[in-house]
């Protein structure tokens, strides 16, 4: 998946910069990213995708940061005849 690879490369590149950040638990600037993807669907609101991105970012941060977490969302399917 291309976006994950790009995001992981950004994390590595930012870490290599070694920019000091005393407020950071690791003492330098790092990047945490949450990604999500889904096939567009008329029955699935955009909020489903946005919530997945937020959850993925929360997971990256809770795992110590400086990482990428990805979620693949399955569209909501309405029952046939409804």
């Amino acid at each position: 998946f291309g976006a994950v690879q790009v995001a992981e490369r950004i994390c590595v590149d930012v870490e290599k910069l070694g920019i000091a950040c005393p407020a950071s638990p690791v003492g330098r600037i790092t990047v945490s990213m949450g990604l999500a993807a889904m096939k567009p669907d008329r029955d699935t609101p955009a909020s489903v995708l946005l919530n997945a991105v937020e959850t993925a970012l929360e997971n990256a941060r809770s795992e110590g940061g400086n990482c990428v977490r990805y979620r693949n969302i399955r569209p909501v399917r309405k029952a046939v005849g409804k």
Side-chain angles (χ1 to χ4, degrees):
F1 184 69
V4 172
Q5 292 169 339
V6 170
E8 288 174 344
R9 180 61 190 228
I10 291 169
C11 286
V12 169
D13 289 348
V14 169
E15 184 177 26
K16 284 181 183 177
L17 293 173
I19 300 171
C21 180
S24 169
V26 294
R28 65 188 181 287
I29 292 176
T30 61
V31 178
S32 300
M33 291 191 211
L35 305 175
M38 69 180 230
K39 185 176 179 181
D41 182 289
R42 291 178 189 220
D43 297 327
T44 306
S47 61
V48 170
L49 181 61
L50 295 175
N51 289 337
V53 169
E54 288 177 356
T55 299
L57 178 56
E58 288 171 13
N59 290 344
R61 288 178 176 162
S62 71
E63 292 175 27
N66 199 31
C67 63
V68 177
R69 293 298 171 257
Y70 169 78
R71 296 191 46 131
N72 189 20
I73 306 305
R74 296 185 183 269
V76 173
R77 298 286 181 211
K78 286 189 175 181
V80 177
K82 291 192 176 189

